[in-house]
Amino acid sequence: MQPLSSMLHIDKTDKLAVYLQLSNQLTDLIRKGVIQGGHQLLSSRQLAKALNIHRKTVVRAYDELLAQGWLESKLGSGTFVATHFPEIKPQPLQDDKNQNFDSKKVAGFSFEDKPHLHRAVLKNTAALHLDDGFPDPRFAPLEELSRAYRTQLITGNPYVKLGYGDTSGSYWLRQQLSVYLNETRGLKTSPENILVIRGTVMGLFLASTGLLKSGDNVAITDLGWASARMNFIQAGANILQIPADEHGIDVDALENICKKQSLRMLYVTSHHHYPTTVALRADRRLQLLALSEKYGFIIFEDDYDYDFHYLSRPLLPLAGADQAGMVLYCGSFTKTISPAFRVGYLVGSENVINHLSRLRRIIDRQGDNMLENAMAELLQNGIIQRHLRKSVRIYRQRRDMFCSLLKSNLSNYLDFNTPDGGMAVWAKFDKSIDLKSLSEQAMAKNLYFSDGGENNLIPDKLNGTRLGFASSTSQELEQSVEILKNLLKIK
C-alpha cells in the first residue's frame, strides 16, 4: 500500500476541503479497482506524514468513508477497504476504445433525440431588434413589482407563505385574475376556473399531455407558432394544417376536414392571428364555436396580446361566448411586462382545470408564490391596468412611426398592412430577397430580426416575417430601418 500515497494529490489552495479531496480520491481508486476490497490502508499517521497534512484530516476522511460504507475498521488491525464490493479489474491507463470518451458530454446510454425538439433558443444580444413582438421593459412597473415582492417576503406567516401552496396557483392571484378577465374580456369565471401557469408554452404542454392521446388529430394554421406545433408532435398528435387568410383561419376548410375525420383539438390565435396579426372575423368566430360544439373538438385559444389594440374596443375572445364548455383560454403577462416574469393563466371548466392542476403537479409542484401574490397586488391596486393604458399609448405611436418608416423607405422591397393591434408587423418580402441571408447580414450590423422560417409550415409559401416595433424607441426604429434599407440597396 506504500505506493498509494503517490496516487493521492492534495491541493491546499483548492476551495474543496482537504479531507473531502482525500475521501473523494480514495473513493475513486476503490471504484476503479485500483485498490481492492479487503486491502489495508495506511494508518492515519503514516498517510498524514506521506501527504504532509494533519493526522486529524486523514482521520476525518477515513470516518467519512467508514460512514458511507467504502471502508471498514477492524479493532486492533487497522482500516480496510470494505469487502462487500465485487472484484473490479483495474482499467489500463490508456484504453484506445475509451480514451476519447467524455461522460460529461455524452451519456453511456442511448435515447431518442427527436428532431422536432431541435429549435434554437432565442438569446438576442444585438443592440437593435425588430423582434417577434416583445414589450419594452424599460417602462415596466418594476419598482412597484419589486416592492410588492419584498412585502410578500417579509410579512405574514413565513411557514405558510414560504411553504408549499396550491398546485393551481395563488388563490389571491386567481381571484384578481377572475375579476380582471371578466371585466376586460367578457369572461364569466371564478377562481376555480383558472390555473396559474408559467406561460402559454406550459399551458400548451399541459393541454397536450392531459387531453390528447397518440394519434389524435390537431388542427393548426399553416402559418403558425412553432412552440404549439412542437407540443402537439411531442404528444403524438397528427397535425392537420388549415389555411388562413386576411380574416383569420379558414373555417370552411376546417369544416370540410371535420366532415371527413375526427378532430380532437384546434389551436387558434383569434384576436391577432400569429404570425400575420389579422383578427378573426366575427362571423367566423360564431361559426367556429358552432363547429366545435357540433363535432366535439376542443378549442385552445391563445390570446397572447389581447391587451394591445389601437382602434375601437377589441373583439372579445371566443371563450367569452362559449356556452358549451369547449374553449380553453390561455394568456400570460409576458407581453404585459417582460418574458422574464413567468406568470400566465389557463382558463376552462372546473373539472378540466382540476385535471390539468393534478398533471401540473408532477412536472412543477407549484409556481413562485411570492411573484404570484405580488402580481395579485398589482392587479388589485390597478397598477397593471395603468401600465397597460400607458403601454398602449406608447406602442400605438411606435406602430404609426414604424409603419411610416417602412412605407417611405422599404416599400419597394416588402408589403404589409398596418396592424390594428399587437406589437409586430407581418411583412411579406419580395420573393427575390433571401430573408435568411438578410437576417444574418443585419445581425452583423447589430440588428436582430427573425428570418421567418419558424412561422411557415409550408416551405416557400410566403417570404415573410414578423418585425416587432414595441420594444424599440423611435430612434432605434429609425436606425433599424436605415440598416435594412442600406442592406437591401446593395442587392
Side-chain angles (χ1 to χ4, degrees):
M1 291 301 298
Q2 191 63 32
L4 174 62
S5 60
S6 65
M7 302 179 191
L8 301 171
H9 305 282
I10 301 300
D11 182 0
K12 294 182 179 179
T13 64
D14 196 299
K15 291 183 178 180
L16 188 66
V18 172
Y19 86 95
L20 288 176
Q21 293 183 48
L22 180 55
S23 62
N24 289 346
Q25 290 179 43
L26 286 171
T27 301
D28 195 45
L29 291 172
I30 296 170
R31 187 185 290 112
K32 292 178 177 177
V34 176
I35 49 178
Q36 295 284 340
H39 284 240
Q40 185 176 8
L41 299 182
L42 295 174
S43 70
S44 58
R45 192 179 304 278
Q46 290 173 318
L47 188 56
K49 183 178 179 180
L51 297 177
N52 192 27
I53 59 178
H54 200 284
R55 176 175 173 266
K56 289 183 178 179
T57 302
V58 179
V59 171
R60 191 173 182 186
Y62 280 5
D63 286 345
E64 180 76 16
L65 296 178
L66 285 166
Q68 294 180 19
W70 291 98
L71 303 181
E72 54 189 27
S73 180
K74 296 180 181 179
L75 188 62
S77 298
T79 304
F80 298 79
V81 176
T83 56
H84 55 74
F85 294 113
E87 183 177 354
I88 303 171
K89 293 183 178 180
Q91 296 296 315
L93 293 178
Q94 291 294 328
D95 185 344
D96 292 337
K97 182 187 293 185
N98 295 319
Q99 64 179 343
N100 295 321
F101 179 75
D102 187 348
S103 63
K104 294 187 292 296
K105 295 182 178 180
V106 180
F109 55 87
S110 62
F111 58 92
E112 185 181 0
D113 188 11
K114 299 182 178 180
H116 69 270
L117 299 178
H118 285 242
R119 182 185 175 202
V121 177
L122 176 60
K123 293 181 180 179
N124 175 31
T125 57
L128 300 172
H129 36 80
L130 299 175
D131 50 44
D132 193 56
F134 298 149
D136 191 339
R138 286 172 288 196
F139 57 86
L142 301 182
E143 290 186 12
E144 294 89 340
L145 181 59
S146 64
R147 282 197 297 268
Y149 196 96
R150 184 174 184 274
T151 298
Q152 292 303 312
L153 286 174
I154 63 177
T155 62
N157 184 335
Y159 183 82
V160 175
K161 281 201 169 185
L162 301 179
Y164 286 115
D166 195 325
T167 309
S168 300
S170 157
Y171 189 75
W172 185 18
L173 178 57
R174 288 187 286 135
Q175 283 180 311
Q176 294 306 313
L177 280 171
S178 178
V179 173
Y180 174 70
L181 296 174
N182 292 349
E183 289 179 350
T184 61
R185 290 151 170 79
L187 304 187
K188 301 175 181 65
T189 67
S190 70
E192 287 69 30
N193 295 119
I194 299 173
L195 169 60
V196 178
I197 52 179
R198 293 192 184 273
T200 303
V201 172
M202 185 181 207
L204 277 165
F205 179 82
L206 292 174
S208 300
T209 306
L211 302 175
L212 297 178
K213 298 191 299 292
S214 181
D216 280 348
N217 290 323
V218 175
I220 60 176
T221 52
D222 49 19
L223 285 170
W225 189 33
S227 288
R229 185 170 180 268
M230 286 170 63
N231 269 285
F232 298 139
I233 294 174
Q234 182 67 22
N238 179 38
I239 305 294
L240 306 177
Q241 294 180 168
I242 311 294
D245 56 25
E246 68 274 15
H247 302 300
I249 187 171
D250 187 336
V251 182
D252 290 333
L254 177 66
E255 184 171 15
N256 289 334
I257 286 178
C258 291
K259 290 176 180 178
K260 299 174 184 176
Q261 53 191 309
S262 62
L263 182 66
R264 176 58 174 168
M265 184 180 289
L266 167 71
Y267 170 79
V268 64
T269 47
S270 60
H271 192 241
H272 296 127
H273 174 255
Y274 186 92
T276 65
T277 76
V278 299
L280 184 62
R281 203 169 58 191
D283 62 315
R284 293 191 182 186
R285 291 168 177 259
L286 296 175
Q287 189 179 354
L288 192 55
L289 288 170
L291 288 177
S292 173
E293 187 172 356
K294 179 178 179 180
Y295 292 102
F297 60 82
I298 303 163
I299 298 176
F300 189 101
E301 185 176 19
D302 176 1
D303 213 355
Y304 63 98
D305 64 357
Y306 179 86
D307 292 298
F308 301 99
H309 202 80
Y310 309 128
L311 298 179
S312 57
R313 182 178 176 84
L315 291 167
L316 295 177
L318 296 168
D322 176 30
Q323 300 296 319
M326 302 303 293
V327 179
L328 278 176
Y329 180 77
C330 194
S332 76
F333 290 100
T334 295
K335 298 295 189 292
T336 307
I337 300 177
S338 169
F341 297 102
R342 308 306 300 164
V343 178
Y345 43 86
L346 188 62
V347 181
S349 302
E350 285 186 29
N351 65 331
V352 174
I353 294 302
N354 289 335
H355 170 62
L356 298 182
S357 296
R358 290 190 288 269
L359 176 62
R360 184 250 172 87
R361 183 173 185 171
I362 68 174
I363 61 167
D364 185 24
R365 171 58 179 79
Q366 66 189 58
D368 182 339
N369 282 340
M370 300 300 100
L371 178 58
E372 291 176 11
N373 284 332
M375 293 297 295
E377 182 177 325
L378 297 193
L379 281 170
Q380 187 176 62
N381 294 338
I383 293 170
I384 292 289
Q385 293 86 331
R386 288 195 294 274
H387 169 67
L388 282 169
R389 288 194 291 271
K390 175 184 176 182
S391 300
V392 168
R393 184 177 69 254
I394 294 173
Y395 294 163
R396 182 194 293 119
Q397 293 170 352
R398 291 180 178 180
R399 177 206 63 171
D400 293 344
M401 179 185 182
F402 184 55
C403 290
S404 176
L405 287 170
L406 291 179
K407 287 179 181 177
S408 59
N409 292 277
L410 302 178
S411 58
N412 292 333
Y413 308 103
L414 59 84
D415 184 32
F416 72 96
N417 291 320
T418 301
D420 293 339
M423 301 178 174
V425 169
W426 173 246
K428 292 179 285 186
F429 283 73
D430 187 273
K431 291 286 187 180
S432 63
I433 296 171
D434 184 342
L435 271 181
K436 183 174 178 58
S437 174
L438 181 63
S439 174
E440 291 170 352
Q441 292 175 55
M443 195 64 183
K445 301 287 186 181
N446 221 5
L447 167 64
Y448 166 80
F449 76 93
S450 168
D451 62 19
E454 286 195 340
N455 300 326
N456 195 350
L457 303 185
I458 300 178
D460 302 324
K461 180 181 179 183
L462 285 175
N463 197 36
T465 190
R466 286 168 63 88
L467 301 176
F469 53 81
S471 60
S472 301
T473 64
S474 298
Q475 183 180 5
E476 290 166 346
L477 290 172
E478 287 178 344
Q479 293 173 336
S480 299
V481 172
E482 186 65 22
I483 289 172
L484 285 179
K485 178 181 176 182
N486 291 334
L487 288 174
L488 289 167
K489 272 185 175 180
I490 296 173
K491 297 179 180 299

